[in-house]
Amino acid sequence: MTDQRPEGRILDAGALRALAHPLRVRLYDLLSQYGAQTASGLAALTGESTGATSYHLRALARQDLIREVPGRGTARERWWERPAGSVTLVNPQMAATPAGRAVMEAVHSETLTLRQQQLMTFVTHGWDEDEQWLDKSLISTASARLTVAQMADLADRLQAVISETVERYRDQTGDDLRVVTMRADVFPLPAEGA
């Protein structure tokens, strides 16, 4: 099987450093998941001040992680969006230094912490969901003994399904739609006895 994982933008040191702040990761994630927002809308979602969200949005924009939505908003209220396309949080040049690895680890840690919080919110409050949403949700964990090639094939196939779904439905509109997060974890467990 060919590599189905999207190449996307490999974030450079400046972009990764810009993301190495918990609020910036959260703002970036909210724009990724929910689409265009204003600083005041993001302030309401995060519990931060509009001044703080505006400051951090500009820092993300300086690194081309987000951009102002053309033709939308006013001089007082700017709309921000995350450009479509994938990003890669692993930069091989940065991985070569302890400081670079620390920045990448901080961004990964904050991103995964946010995603885990979302999962735990669903696990603890999902029972309040409309039954059809609850019944069609999936939280699945499994283990198998795989070679590196088999693990890569599995990761490629899962990414292909996720990428095709995002591409097909990204801009869909309608009253019965909700933002749905998709997550696939594929990784080797520590060696037995380790």
Side-chain angles (χ1 to χ4, degrees):
M1 171 159 239
T2 61
D3 189 355
Q4 295 294 318
R5 287 170 274 189
E7 289 184 25
R9 174 183 172 194
I10 296 174
L11 297 184
D12 62 20
L16 283 165
R17 284 190 188 94
L19 272 177
H21 185 285
L23 181 55
R24 290 180 192 165
V25 169
R26 189 153 183 226
L27 296 173
Y28 187 74
D29 212 35
L30 287 167
L31 291 171
S32 296
Q33 292 176 325
Y34 294 99
Q37 304 283 328
T38 62
S40 58
L42 288 165
L45 290 171
T46 60
E48 298 288 336
S49 71
T50 300
T53 57
S54 183
Y55 171 80
H56 289 293
L57 287 166
R58 287 190 308 274
L60 293 170
R62 279 192 296 274
Q63 297 299 323
D64 295 322
L65 291 163
I66 65 169
R67 64 184 175 209
E68 194 170 349
V69 179
R72 190 168 179 191
T74 64
R76 292 183 50 85
E77 187 168 67
R78 299 163 70 183
W79 284 82
W80 298 94
E81 68 182 355
R82 180 185 171 266
S86 65
V87 296
T88 300
L89 299 178
V90 176
N91 179 312
Q93 289 83 22
M94 289 188 69
T97 68
R101 283 191 301 274
V103 170
M104 288 188 302
E105 288 170 11
V107 174
H108 273 105
S109 178
E110 191 61 33
T111 299
L112 293 174
T113 296
L114 286 172
R115 297 297 168 94
Q116 185 63 21
Q117 288 170 347
Q118 290 174 332
L119 176 61
M120 293 312 298
T121 297
F122 177 76
V123 167
T124 57
H125 301 291
W127 308 112
D128 300 331
E129 286 290 341
D130 181 295
E131 190 173 324
Q132 67 180 352
W133 286 97
L134 186 59
D135 288 347
K136 298 301 179 191
S137 299
L138 174 68
I139 300 172
S140 178
T141 301
S143 300
R145 295 179 187 279
L146 304 174
T147 65
V148 170
Q150 292 164 336
M151 184 179 74
D153 177 61
L154 174 60
D156 288 346
R157 288 186 289 131
L158 290 171
Q159 185 60 57
V161 169
I162 291 170
S163 294
E164 184 270 330
T165 301
V166 169
E167 188 61 33
R168 181 186 294 176
Y169 300 115
R170 173 182 291 130
D171 298 320
Q172 156 172 260
T173 59
D175 293 336
D176 61 340
L177 299 175
R178 301 235 339 241
V179 174
V180 175
T181 188
M182 294 165 270
R183 187 167 122 169
D185 298 323
V186 179
F187 57 90
L189 296 174
E192 293 177 67

